[in-house]
Amino acid sequence: MKKILVTLTLAMGIMISACAQYSNQKMHVGMKAPELAYPNPDGKTLKLSELNKGRYVLVDFWASWCGPCRRSNPGLVELYKKYSSKKFKNAKNGFTVLNVSLDKDKNAWIGAIRQDGLTWPNHISDLGAWDSKAAATYGVQFIPQAFLIGPDGKIIGMYNVGEMAADDLNKLVVE
């Protein structure tokens, strides 16, 4: 019995340590979301602060070469379809998604946007891959990873995949 308890305690300690290792230590719910201002696929700079005016924004970090990101994109597309036309508390401009790509190859990035049906117009990247300044600013050490930003510019939620924001969005919808 003593060996079982020691083994279970050790296993739980390893699991907690592993989870802490992969959680974002830089960002937290309630803090002001740092500005993001990077080129879209057309080369025009898109700013989070401008997009965020009167709107909830899901900032989704991903890359064309990331298998888990690509597998989560259909859920993100459904989330966008479901919530982009809804009315929200304290957000006269509703909800949208801002994709932040950790790609290095612009053609691969644009191709993945098309292939995965990411139809919203808000896509940015500095094409820095893991050296992306946006990823460093947000403490992103794994992808996919997403942050729900309120119209006041503060982080409402942090998620391993964007579609996990649905529960928080449901609470904000005006029926």
Side-chain angles (χ1 to χ4, degrees), residues 26 61 130-140:
K26 189 169 188 176
F61 287 84
W130 280 114
D131 292 327
S132 163
K133 291 178 180 75
T137 299
Y138 273 71
V140 171

Side-chain angles (χ1 to χ4, degrees), residues 119-175:
T119 58
W120 47 90
N122 313 308
H123 302 272
I124 59 174
S125 182
D126 62 6
L127 299 175
W130 280 114
D131 292 327
S132 163
K133 291 178 180 75
T137 299
Y138 273 71
V140 171
Q141 296 180 12
F142 64 87
I143 53 176
Q145 192 170 159
F147 303 85
L148 182 59
I149 313 299
D152 61 356
K154 292 183 180 176
I155 298 171
I156 295 171
M158 299 170 49
Y159 318 96
N160 288 335
V161 293
E163 64 203 73
M164 293 173 70
D167 286 342
D168 287 332
L169 289 169
N170 279 332
K171 295 174 191 169
L172 300 166
V173 170
V174 176
E175 296 298 329

